[in-house]
Amino acid sequence: MCGITGWIAYDNDLTTQRPTLEAMTETMTCRGPDAAGIWLDRHAAFGHRRLAVIDIDGGKQPMSVAHDGRTLIVTTYSGEVYNYRELRAELEKLGHAFRTRSDTEVVLHAYLEWGEGFVERLNGMYAFALWDPRTEELLLIRDRMGIKPLYYHPTPDGVLFGSEPKAILAHPSVRPTVDAEGLAELITFTKTPGHAVYKGMHEVRPGHIVKVGRGGVKATRYWALEAREHTDDLDTTVAHVRELLDDIVARQLIADVPLCTLLSGGLDSSAITALAAKALAAQGRGPVRSFAVDFTGYTENFKADDLRGTPDGPYAHALAEHVRSDHNDIVLDTAALMDPGHRAAVLAARDLPNGFGDGDTSLYLLFKAVREQSTVALSGESADEVFGGYRWFHDPETVNADTFPWIAAGVSGRFTGGNATREALLDGGLLGKLDLPGYEGRRYREALAEVPYLDSDTGLQRRMREISYLHLTRFVQILLDRKDRASMAVGLEVRVPFCDHRLVDYVFNTPWSMKTFDGREKSLLRAATRDVLPDLVADRVKSPYPSTQDPRYGEALRTELKGVVADRNAPVQPLLNSVAAAEATADGATSDIRPGAELILGMNAWLRTTGTTLEL
């Protein structure tokens, strides 16, 4: 896993632009702490920061392939191709010779052999650029599910690109500007594919190739979810899900560095940890190492709410004992969650204040602690989107709402009422200009227009295909981006087995009645993995990533917000609803303001540190 950046300029000589490329590349140091590389040609310049995972000595980048002294292809590459060994063997039979053991070199030779269509052969998570000096064309390629990020910014004579916006913003010709649509995208939970919030910037859509040439920039799709008839019976379906999971986990255990799993004690992470333990034992590499996040006093003082019915700790420990993992609890306290340095690091990692508050800070701190002992971690992320795990999948009112189901379910307000919404403390005039409900509605209708159907899709089956599609193309992007930024901020590679496109495609086309055959959420996953799980874990009701329940966290937010409200020079002041902010920070105020306060505080820090201009 790495950080990449680059610049294509057909009207300039980029061999003189090393300082600019070094500045852009330096912003990606957190993603690649092990090595740096720059490659310059007349019209193309690549930067790379490396997190060495496979072929530590041989996988340095940018990497090229030459023949008779002529460069044929160059890449700056981020990610992992899990089937690179099979592809390498096939390419060797076709006459290709390799000088490294890296998957990066396999990608280069695959392009030389099969052209742009080679990407359809890849199984993995990746975001990379290919420059072909023979045609003077650039390809920006992103994996099917969008696990790894990749942004680009067209220029009058080419393009700038990077793993994160900060790499592009480091170029002297780009200024951080956000218009009304960008701000609406930032505040809402829509995650529009291709939208990068910053004006003039775009994100390469999952499953897409962006081609840049002298004629301009063109995006094409190489993969998308398709509707297919599911002909397997229930037993065959469960068996095939397990067969896929066994293969996926085994592939994703390949690494030349220490590896672990992220274990919450929920069905998803427990299944991955148990399957990893089984695979490692078969290879003589066990035990699996696992990590869980917890908060001081959380289990002892836990209070169930509408979102979380049980604390994670006892279940994580039960699974760890069951598979005999080398388990570690990372216990955080409120002081760590409120530490200005930690929150600044999260904001710097995300480039935007559109996160999950303490959930982002705790995730960052968890990954920071994990990185001290491991370089690669397997996660249970995305199982809920694939198998239908969220509670709103099973609530008829939410399912039938005329908007994104997670918005109908109240994710932006943490499932509470009153002032506990992200926009509660924003100025009324600003909200009127942004028209957040209208923006969400337009994006929702755009997403629905993409959904593939079968003629047999009627009634509930048709609607649940829509719900699944919305989650697999929109909501999962919010979570994958969050996990990538928090992990790469500390140089930790997180792999997500449930995003393997073979599994996603198969389960997407499995009828909803099979996905809920036992009357519960994630029926297929539970049935496919029950044999490797203790009953306590297999039967646990879904509980999302934990959030601190320490009242001191809310009090600390209120105190900090009060300081911002009183500071007339605070950059967020023009966006504030002064009356609501005064009421929320008044002495004796007790209302829950966490989502709104976290957004305001994040926006204030973002505007102050980045110099972003709002064009509203």
Side-chain angles (χ1 to χ4, degrees):
M1 204 58 57
C2 305
I4 67 173
T5 189
W7 181 9
I8 305 299
Y10 293 106
D11 296 339
N12 288 280
D13 181 359
L14 297 184
T15 60
T16 65
Q17 297 296 322
R18 177 174 287 273
T20 297
L21 254 293
E22 288 177 342
M24 295 170 67
T25 305
E26 185 69 17
T27 66
M28 297 288 93
T29 300
C30 59
R31 299 185 71 91
D34 296 330
I38 298 287
W39 179 86
L40 301 174
D41 201 0
R42 183 170 179 80
H43 300 307
F46 283 180
H48 189 270
R49 290 293 317 195
R50 187 180 184 213
L51 176 65
V53 172
I54 294 175
D55 192 2
I56 306 302
D57 296 325
K60 297 177 181 178
Q61 296 189 50
M63 185 180 289
S64 62
V65 174
H67 181 69
D68 291 337
R70 180 188 180 194
T71 299
L72 302 179
I73 189 71
V74 185
T75 191
T76 181
Y77 170 90
S78 170
E80 305 290 351
V81 172
Y82 301 124
N83 64 333
Y84 78 98
R85 291 175 173 172
E86 295 98 314
L87 291 174
R88 176 178 173 135
E90 186 176 356
L91 288 163
E92 286 176 330
K93 289 180 181 179
L94 293 169
H96 291 259
F98 293 85
R99 55 187 172 80
T100 75
R101 296 184 296 105
S102 70
D103 56 332
T104 305
E105 190 180 13
V106 172
V107 166
L108 289 168
H109 283 271
Y111 171 78
L112 291 174
E113 179 64 35
W114 297 303
E116 293 178 28
F118 85 98
V119 70
E120 298 178 14
R121 298 170 177 259
L122 304 183
N123 177 293
M125 57 177 189
Y126 45 81
F128 56 91
L130 289 172
W131 172 253
D132 190 332
R134 301 166 299 178
T135 61
E136 292 194 324
E137 289 183 330
L138 174 78
L139 298 181
L140 298 175
I141 301 174
R142 194 172 180 208
D143 66 67
R144 295 169 178 83
M145 291 296 291
I147 303 168
K148 304 314 296 178
L150 183 56
Y151 295 82
Y152 66 101
H153 188 293
T155 64
D157 70 332
V159 73
L160 301 163
F161 67 87
S163 292
E164 298 177 5
K166 60 174 65 68
I168 296 170
L169 294 173
H171 191 279
S173 71
V174 181
R175 295 289 181 267
T177 303
V178 175
D179 58 18
E181 182 181 279
L183 193 57
E185 177 74 15
L186 186 155
I187 296 172
T188 60
F189 272 71
T190 50
K191 190 55 179 176
T192 306
H195 206 303
V197 177
Y198 287 105
K199 190 175 180 180
M201 196 181 297
H202 309 274
E203 190 172 18
V204 178
R205 293 187 63 161
H208 278 65
I209 299 174
V210 173
K211 179 183 285 189
V212 181
R214 290 183 179 274
V217 178
K218 181 182 178 181
T220 58
R221 189 183 72 189
Y222 71 87
W223 184 85
L225 288 168
E226 298 179 0
R228 300 186 181 89
E229 290 286 353
H230 185 83
T231 58
D232 292 342
D233 61 21
L234 179 59
D235 288 343
T236 304
T237 299
V238 171
H240 188 57
V241 168
R242 175 55 177 272
E243 179 184 353
L244 284 170
L245 286 172
D246 281 336
D247 179 70
I248 292 165
V249 171
R251 288 180 182 276
Q252 297 195 20
L253 290 174
I254 297 173
D256 295 334
V257 291
L259 178 145
C260 68
T261 68
L262 305 174
L263 175 61
S264 71
L267 176 62
D268 314 338
S269 64
S270 295
I272 295 300
T273 300
L275 293 175
K278 185 172 180 287
L280 289 172
Q283 299 169 21
R285 295 169 55 195
V288 66
R289 176 176 289 175
S290 58
F291 291 87
V293 68
D294 202 353
F295 303 102
T296 303
Y298 186 77
T299 299
E300 298 82 352
N301 303 304
F302 179 81
K303 295 180 181 178
D305 56 28
D306 291 341
L307 192 57
R308 301 174 183 85
T310 52
D312 287 345
Y315 297 88
H317 295 161
L319 189 284
E321 182 177 350
H322 185 75
V323 302
R324 298 182 179 179
S325 73
D326 178 4
H327 184 70
N328 301 266
D329 286 325
I330 307 301
V331 183
L332 308 175
D333 59 23
T334 297
L337 296 176
M338 286 301 300
D339 183 279
H342 295 156
R343 291 165 61 206
V346 171
L347 179 61
R350 297 205 64 157
D351 289 310
L352 294 167
N354 60 342
F356 289 79
D358 72 285
D360 281 349
T361 309
S362 65
L363 193 66
Y364 164 79
L365 292 172
L366 167 65
F367 290 158
K368 186 177 181 181
V370 171
R371 183 61 176 89
E372 294 177 0
Q373 301 182 58
S374 290
T375 307
V376 175
L378 271 64
S379 165
E381 195 77 83
S382 307
D384 289 305
E385 289 78 14
V386 174
F387 291 98
Y390 295 117
R391 72 172 197 175
W392 52 80
F393 272 87
H394 310 274
D395 173 41
E397 182 177 350
T398 304
V399 164
N400 293 312
D402 189 28
T403 187
F404 294 107
W406 53 92
I407 291 177
V411 166
S412 63
R414 302 282 179 84
F415 297 85
T416 55
N419 292 324
T421 62
R422 285 166 65 85
E423 64 269 23
L425 301 178
L426 292 174
D427 176 71
L430 172 66
L431 292 175
K433 183 178 296 185
L434 297 180
D435 183 20
L436 300 182
Y439 183 80
E440 292 168 350
R442 290 193 301 275
R443 295 310 192 190
Y444 172 66
R445 290 187 291 273
E446 289 174 1
L448 278 186
E450 299 173 4
V451 180
Y453 302 101
L454 295 174
D455 292 340
S456 57
D457 287 338
T458 59
L460 181 62
Q461 170 58 28
R462 180 181 176 89
R463 181 54 176 164
M464 294 316 296
R465 187 182 287 280
E466 293 175 346
I467 296 295
S468 295
Y469 186 90
L470 295 174
H471 281 81
L472 291 169
T473 61
R474 268 63 175 182
F475 193 67
V476 76
Q477 286 296 300
I478 298 173
L479 302 182
L480 289 174
D481 188 61
R482 168 180 178 254
K483 182 147 289 184
D484 173 84
R485 299 302 187 86
S487 60
M488 294 308 294
V490 296
L492 176 71
E493 174 178 306
V494 174
R495 299 174 178 177
V496 279
F498 288 116
C499 276
D500 185 291
H501 69 278
R502 298 169 298 163
L503 178 68
V504 172
D505 183 78
Y506 185 76
V507 179
F508 176 68
N509 284 295
T510 302
W512 181 246
S513 58
M514 278 194 185
K515 294 178 186 177
T516 56
F517 74 85
D518 63 359
R520 293 194 56 188
E521 78 285 356
K522 290 184 286 196
S523 305
L524 290 178
L525 178 59
R526 184 176 294 102
T529 58
R530 181 176 281 277
D531 66 300
V532 294
L533 302 173
D535 289 342
L536 177 70
V537 172
D539 293 327
R540 187 187 182 194
V541 175
K542 167 69 182 176
S543 183
Y545 183 85
S547 178
T548 181
Q549 294 185 341
D550 188 341
R552 291 175 297 179
Y553 178 75
E555 294 167 3
L557 281 178
R558 198 182 306 274
T559 299
E560 186 173 346
L561 179 62
K562 190 171 185 177
V564 170
V565 171
D567 181 5
R568 294 187 177 183
N569 295 318
V572 80
Q573 276 286 352
L575 309 180
L576 272 177
N577 180 329
S578 57
V579 174
E583 292 176 351
T585 57
D587 293 341
T590 59
S591 60
D592 180 10
I593 61 168
R594 278 173 63 170
E598 287 168 338
L599 177 65
I600 293 298
L601 294 174
M603 290 180 71
N604 192 62
W606 168 60
L607 293 170
R608 185 181 63 246
T609 58
T610 65
T612 297
T613 300
L614 298 180
E615 292 185 352
L616 306 177

